Structure formats: C-alpha cells, structure tokens
Amino acid sequence: MARKNLLAGLMDQNDTTDTPAYPMRGASKTMIRSIDELAKQAEKLMEGETIVDIDPDTIDGSFVTDRMEDDSEQFQDLLRAMQERGQDSPILVRPHPQTDGRYQIVFGHRRVRAARQLGRPVRAVIKALDDRTHVIAQGQENSARANLTFIERAAFARRLEDLGYDRETIMSALSANAASVSKMMSVTERIPAGIIERIGSAASIGRERWVELSLLIGRPNNLTKANDILDAEDTMSLDSSARFNALMAGLKTTAKRVTKSVATGTTWASADSSISAQIKSDSSGFSLSLKAGNGAKFGRFLADNLDALYDRFLKDGDRG
Amino acid sequence: MARKNLLAGLMDQNDTTDTPAYPMRGASKTMIRSIDELAKQAEKLMEGETIVDIDPDTIDGSFVTDRMEDDSEQFQDLLRAMQERGQDSPILVRPHPQTDGRYQIVFGHRRVRAARQLGRPVRAVIKALDDRTHVIAQGQENSARANLTFIERAAFARRLEDLGYDRETIMSALSANAASVSKMMSVTERIPAGIIERIGSAASIGRERWVELSLLIGRPNNLTKANDILDAEDTMSLDSSARFNALMAGLKTTAKRVTKSVATGTTWASADSSISAQIKSDSSGFSLSLKAGNGAKFGRFLADNLDALYDRFLKDGDRG
DNA sequence: GTCGATTTTTGTCAGCTGACAACAATCTAC
DNA sequence: GTAGATTGTTGTCAGCTGACAAAAATCGAC
C-alpha cells in the first residue's frame, strides 16, 4: 500500500498549539488527550459533510472488531439517553464495499445498535473511505473515546496485522510508536486469543504485566495450567483484572524459581571506632562497605594489598 | 454544612460493575474514566428533566471559575461545529440565586459563549441546585471532561476553600481523596496566585514537581527571582510547561547544593581470576564487592582479619 | 489541661504508558 | 556475499496520579 498521509491533517495530529517544546512522558500524554481533542478529531473527519438519517437495518458493522466486551449497563444508559433526548453525536459510515445500498460502520457501533432497538433512524455522516483509511479512523476514534485497555488495543493491532496491514498503518490507527506496537504483537503472539478473551479487557493491567504473563505462558505446561486456572469456577466469577491477577499468581506458583541463598549481613567496627563496616555475604558473593573517618583510607589500603591478602588466604585455605 | 450525600447516586460514583476487586493504582484509574463515564454522570444530573432553549443573554457564568486559560483554537472548533450541526449536548444551568429571570451556568460555559456569538438560543437543562451541589456538579463535570491539569484542579480547590467550603465538599467536587486535596492546598498556599497564572495550566507537570517548585519559591529571595525569570521576554514566549521548567531551572541555579565528591570506581581481579572485585571510593567512604568462584570465601577471610589488617594499616599509615 | 478521636500533612510507593536506546533481524544495493 | 540502511524487538527509564502510612495538628469532651 503506497498511499500515505491520505488524511494527513487528521492522522498526524498536527495541532501545533498543543505541541510542547519538551518531551511529554508516559501516562501524562495519554491523559492530556481530552474530549475536546476527540471532538476535534471527529470534526475533521466529518467536516463539510451533511448529516443524514439512515435506516439501521441497512448498516453493517466494521470488518474489524475493536471492543472486547460490551458493558451492558453503559449500553442501557445510552439507550435511555437516546430515547429521551435523541442522538447527540452522528456516527460515521462508508458505503458498503461489497453490497450496494448498504453502509458499513467506521465508528458508532453502539449508537446504531441503540437506534435499531428503539426502531428509529440513526444520524450519520456518509463518507467514502478506503479500507486503510477506514481502520485508521476507527482505531483513532476508539482509542480516544473509551480509553481502551492495553490488551484491547493489542488485540485490535493483532487483527489489523492478521488482515495484512503494515506496521505504519497500525501505528497510525493506534497513535502508537513502533516499540509499543511491537510489544503488543509479542503479547498477542505468545498468549492465545482464547486465553486473552477469557481474561477480558483487564482494565488497569498495563503492558509490563501482560508481557510478564506472556513469558510465563510460554513455559512448558503453563498453557494447560492457565486453562485449568481459568476453568475454575471461582476464577471466572472474578472481574477481568482479578482474573488476570489470579492467573498470574497461579502460574507463578508452578514456575518456582530456585531460591538464592539469603544474603547475611553483619557489621564490623575498628577498635578505635574510626571505621564502621557493613558486610554482606552469601553463596555467590561478598560485599564490604566502609564508612566513617578512616574508611576511605583503610579501603584503599585493602585495595592495594588484595594480591598479598589473596596469597595468604590461599595458604590458610590449604591448611584449613 | 450538614447536608450530605445530596446527590448520592451521582457523587459517590457507585457504579459497582466497574469497581475492581483489588486496588487500582495511580495514573491508570484516571485514564480508565472515559467519555462513557462522563456521559453517565451528566445523564444522572439531567435525568428526567426536559431540555429548553434559553436566550444566552439571560445566562451568567458560575460563581467559581474553573479554567485557567481558554484554548481559542478549541473554541473556534466548537463554534464551527455548532454553526454546522447545532449543539450536541445541552448545558446545565440553575435559576440565578440573586436575580429573578436569569440563570447561572453549572457547566457549559463555552457552549453558552459560542451560542451567544452565533446569535442563537442555547439548549439547556434547568435545575434548582444549592451552592454546594452546584460546585460539586461543576467540579466533577469539568474534572472528567477536559482532564484538567494538576494546577488547574488545585486552583479550583483553592477557590472553593477561599469561598468557605469544607474539605469533604472539595474532595467530592474534585473526586479526590484528602491527601490529594491537602497537597493542592499546600502548593496554592506557597505559590502566589499571580505566579501560578503567569506559568499557566502546565499540561503534563504533575503534583510532585509543583510541590518541589512551591518549596523552592518559599526560600528567601526566590519569589523576587521567580518574578524576574517570568518577566524575561524569552520565558514568556515559551509554552506553559516550558515556562514551568524554565522557572524551576532558574530557581535551582540560585539554590546551589554543595556537590559531593564524585565516587571513583575501579576493579580488581585475583591472579588466578577466581575472584573479581568492584571497588568504589570517595572522600566519605569505600565499598568493595567480591564475586565469582572464591569471592565469598575470600570475603569471609577478609572479614575475619579486619582487626589485624587495621593494625597493619595504622602502622603503615604512620610510616607513610 | 489532658486525652482520645479526627483531620490534615507529607513522604513514599506501585503500576501506568510514551519514549529512548541498544541490539537483532531483515532488506536492498552493489 | 557483503555492507549499510531500515525495521523490529526488548530492556529500561521518567514522570504521572491514586493511595497508603506515619506523623503532626486540631478539635472536642471531660
């Protein structure tokens, strides 16, 4: 796919007034994106288009699913709101690529479902988009709108890769850099989709922990164990993040590490109290820290005489 | 104010389906709050009320300002959207507490301003709210909506406290716990409001750095220095967070710390390569770490002979 | 004035995510 | 086949914010 920057003004997020003169790090950048940003983004997609009412029965869902589970309480809220006050924001659809007279949702799936259930037309903007532009728009709208969890974004990225999109497209759809997308691919490569679905959206479980889980699951017998843990009745009654934690805990007890010998710590002080020392020793090493008045000088003395000391140690060692 | 839990269903955020069975930490909790949450919150405020069109010239702003600066580009976007498609979401107003026939905005200030500029009525829900409920609703709406920065939230909290509201009310308005509100009060107590306004909303500058700045500003002469730094022409041309960083850097060069001597690090290895050592030495101390094969044994040997070694050191030291 | 309860303050931590950097793998030109 | 460029992978870090805990301050009953 050689067509780049098709919606350059949208996809590049080139809102220079918001671009700081210094790097914005981590969680803060995510949180700065506000509803206003979202409104602006959707606005650019729909700029200059008119809104029409469409029969929901002529509308099909997107060819990429983006949400892992549906919060039926939130859907009931939306239903009630639309019933009372109509539909606040229009959805975006494109003419169906295969079927004349029908439309395909770019974003607004739940609003369509609510309108259908209410027996009402849905307010929509119709725009001709190719597949690539469609998935980028859908991805960006959903990323901004619901603050999808790491694993939901990762699953979306996996589906885009499975559909054949290149990394640049996926990066645009998720507003993510190459490293982030790569980690999503690693996780969804190592953890089977079935396991991910059984865990669920796991709100508040971040990338590092998913990576950790993916490495655990890769070990022998752990996949079977994981399914056993998820089969347990009490596990499935937990919410999604608690299921994640239960799975992690369960896999960790099977993958016991060889425990290192515990470091022992003692102290030493010179007879004249001008030096204090911290000593740590275990089966694999030794550590000596000297402090107070003469500590540095005594330390250099020790350092200068390590060869001689080592010779003496070897002799004493032989006799011992 | 003894009236509590006036809007219990709203203020307590008791959406049990979203309540995890484990603590949700830090930034992730903030980010999980999504537009859906916001929609639900506003929905509960307006539930059962009808929407009416109101002449913007009969509407006054809230008695508490909540936003530090106005992004005029975002306002232009809103203006254009309302011109093209009308007003998506109604605002919330209450009958004006002092003036009959007028209303006071709980939330929706920019939409009112845009409607006024377009010469159109504004869609609104009218609800009788007392002052306390008003500020809680305003605070929660604005907290959720724009992801206000730490200092904007802190300034809002400061205004509420100056208006006489108790900590519980302020905690509700900001959806924040006592410790968070307390830190906001410390910062806005130590940094004069004029300095804060000149810095601006400082997106991405978090609580810890504001606390650090507040402690710096509290030192003698630093307030004058801060004003001088902010007066500089090149400082004011920076964006808000960069101004913050410039101010911090400027104040820190005046509050110079005594630099510690730099620790030097060397290594040692036994002649037979069965021990490697890391040696760190500076003016105040010394550190020796031994590793590899015989490291632990040699270390114990050293530890057992520290008294003798120290005696030798003292003798050598006298001669040296 | 004292004591216990409550509130406030402040230091610190956990886990988040964007980003950076180093390294590995892949690709392309020659 | 090789070398340089590009892409992808992974370890790690910085700063965020909610929360916890300990200490300090305040309040109210006696």
Side-chain angles (χ1 to χ4, degrees), chain B residues 76-90:
Chain B
Q76 292 303 318
D77 290 339
L78 174 64
L79 201 56
R80 185 164 42 247
M82 283 177 65
Q83 189 160 28
E84 288 185 359
R85 297 199 310 280
Q87 183 186 334
D88 278 346
S89 302

Side-chain angles (χ1 to χ4, degrees), chain B residues 18 23 26 58 64 66 69 86 88 100 121 136 153 220 245 266 269 277 288:
Chain B
D18 290 340
T58 62
V64 196
D66 48 44
E69 68 215 14
D88 278 346
D100 281 351
I136 291 177
R153 284 159 57 82
N245 287 322
T266 59
L288 172 71

Side-chain angles (χ1 to χ4, degrees), chain A residues 76-289:
Chain A
Q76 293 303 318
D77 290 339
L78 174 65
L79 202 55
R80 187 166 37 247
M82 283 176 67
Q83 190 161 27
E84 289 184 359
R85 297 197 313 278
Q87 182 186 334
D88 278 347
S89 302
I91 69 170
L92 179 66
V93 299
R94 66 172 183 167
H96 204 293
Q98 279 98 40
T99 313
D100 282 350
R102 294 188 71 77
Y103 304 96
Q104 194 173 59
I105 301 167
V106 179
F107 55 75
H109 286 84
R110 286 193 293 183
R111 281 166 280 176
V112 172
R113 190 161 134 241
R116 185 177 289 130
Q117 196 157 323
L118 294 169
R120 298 180 182 179
V122 60
R123 291 170 69 234
V125 165
I126 305 171
K127 193 159 185 170
L129 304 174
D130 63 20
D131 285 358
R132 183 177 185 269
T133 312
H134 176 133
V135 300
I136 290 176
Q138 178 182 355
Q140 289 193 354
E141 164 75 6
N142 282 304
S143 291
R145 185 174 187 84
N147 283 328
L148 291 173
T149 66
F150 169 80
I151 200 62
E152 284 174 320
R153 283 160 57 82
F156 185 72
R158 167 59 49 193
R159 281 194 280 277
L160 292 185
E161 181 136 291
D162 289 347
L163 284 165
Y165 291 97
D166 64 9
R167 287 297 175 93
E168 190 175 338
T169 301
I170 299 171
M171 286 158 60
S172 290
L174 290 162
S175 301
N177 66 12
S180 298
V181 173
S182 189
K183 291 174 197 280
M184 292 176 188
M185 295 308 178
S186 295
V187 167
T188 51
E189 180 76 25
R190 294 186 193 118
I191 305 180
I195 294 283
I196 293 176
E197 282 164 25
R198 296 182 74 187
I199 295 172
S201 63
S204 91
I205 305 295
R207 183 188 67 222
E208 302 317 317
R209 293 221 270 138
W210 277 103
V211 168
E212 189 180 348
L213 180 66
S214 79
L215 294 172
L216 275 173
I217 280 198
R219 288 183 183 152
N221 299 326
N222 268 2
L223 185 50
T224 306
K225 183 101 180 173
N227 278 304
D228 290 342
I229 294 169
L230 289 171
D231 283 339
E233 190 168 330
D234 57 341
T235 306
M236 291 313 290
S237 68
L238 298 170
D239 72 28
S240 177
S241 295
R243 280 200 295 277
F244 178 96
N245 287 322
L247 185 56
M248 282 282 281
L251 295 180
K252 273 174 165 170
T253 61
T254 55
K256 280 188 161 77
R257 295 184 196 91
V258 173
T259 55
K260 290 175 174 176
S261 52
V262 174
T264 59
T266 58
T267 62
W268 173 85
S270 63
D272 59 5
S273 299
S274 70
I275 299 176
S276 59
Q278 284 286 334
I279 300 170
K280 286 180 176 173
S281 169
D282 65 16
S283 57
S284 65
F286 174 91
S287 169
L288 172 69
S289 296

Side-chain angles (χ1 to χ4, degrees), chain B residues 122-192:
Chain B
V122 59
R123 292 170 70 234
V125 164
I126 306 172
K127 193 158 185 169
L129 303 174
D130 64 21
D131 284 356
R132 182 176 184 268
T133 312
H134 176 132
V135 300
I136 291 177
Q138 179 183 353
Q140 289 193 352
E141 164 74 9
N142 280 306
S143 290
R145 184 174 189 86
N147 283 329
L148 291 173
T149 65
F150 169 78
I151 200 61
E152 284 175 318
R153 284 159 57 82
F156 185 72
R158 167 58 50 194
R159 280 193 282 277
L160 291 185
E161 178 136 295
D162 288 347
L163 284 165
Y165 291 96
D166 64 10
R167 288 298 174 93
E168 191 175 339
T169 301
I170 298 172
M171 285 158 60
S172 290
L174 290 162
S175 302
N177 66 12
S180 298
V181 172
S182 189
K183 291 175 198 281
M184 293 175 188
M185 296 308 179
S186 295
V187 167
T188 53
E189 180 75 28
R190 293 186 192 118
I191 306 181

